[in-house]
Structures are given as C-alpha cells and as structure tokens.
Amino acid sequence: MKDRIQLDHLSEVSGVSKRTLGYLFLRTYGITPMAFVKRERLRKACRLLQHADPSTTTVASIARECGFAHMGQFSLDYKRLLGESPSDTLHPHPQAARIPDRQ
C-alpha cells in the first residue's frame, strides 16, 4: 500500500469516471475515495504497530511502509482516527489501576 494512489488511477481501474467514483464512495462509505485510501493505510499502520517489536521498529518506518511521507501529518491523522498516538500503539502503557469511588 505504499505506492502513491491517485484518483485518476482508481477511476481508470474501476472503469468509472472520477465523479461517479466519488459519488459511489460518498454514498457507500460516507467519505471520498482518497479519504478511504488514507483510512485504510492508517488502519494498516495500526495493525503493524500493534504487532511490531518496539525495540527494533520505529513509528516512522511503519508510516513510510504504509505510504506516509509527512510524519507530523501522519501522527495527527492517526490520532484523529484511532484515538491515540502511533507511538502509544507501538509502546502501550499499562492501564493505571482504577480505585473505586467511595460514597
């Protein structure tokens, strides 16, 4: 998935116009084709980070493998979609023990 995917290419391989492709994606998924591609790349990055060895893997290497060139934007998009930073996925923190409230 690290190759650059463009709307023209998606239109060509699907056999429909860019406009039709955009309409179909909006109707089916609620997002544009390119937003769909980005979302799937972010999900792939999440899976890779979850199963990576933090002692030998970096967030940047996973991001590049999934087709992201701008690390800051990758981190923002990742957190927006998945609710945590990529480094928190790679280096999970144990949940703090919750102390029940006394009434």
Side-chain angles (χ1 to χ4, degrees):
M1 249 196 194
K2 67 180 172 181
D3 295 332
R4 184 164 184 174
I5 297 174
Q6 296 182 343
L7 188 57
D8 289 337
H9 181 71
L10 292 175
S11 173
E12 182 181 316
V13 298
S14 68
V16 298
S17 71
K18 291 185 286 187
R19 183 177 179 173
T20 298
L21 188 63
Y23 170 76
L24 292 171
F25 265 80
L26 282 171
R27 191 175 79 191
T28 305
Y29 301 105
I31 56 177
T32 66
M34 298 316 296
F36 180 88
V37 169
K38 181 189 276 189
R39 184 183 73 187
E40 293 309 304
R41 286 181 172 188
L42 289 166
R43 287 180 174 173
K44 179 182 179 184
C46 180
R47 287 190 303 275
L48 292 173
L49 288 166
Q50 288 171 333
H51 296 97
D53 178 354
S55 67
T56 60
T57 304
T58 65
V59 169
S61 67
I62 296 286
R64 282 191 301 273
E65 183 177 336
C66 294
F68 295 96
H70 304 286
M71 295 305 117
Q73 188 63 52
F74 165 73
S75 187
L76 287 171
D77 291 339
Y78 186 98
K79 187 165 188 168
R80 190 175 297 130
L81 178 67
L82 299 162
E84 70 179 5
S85 71
S87 59
D88 285 343
T89 304
L90 181 60
H91 304 281
H93 303 297
Q95 291 286 9
R98 292 192 57 135
I99 300 171
D101 293 333
R102 293 192 179 164
Q103 295 181 352

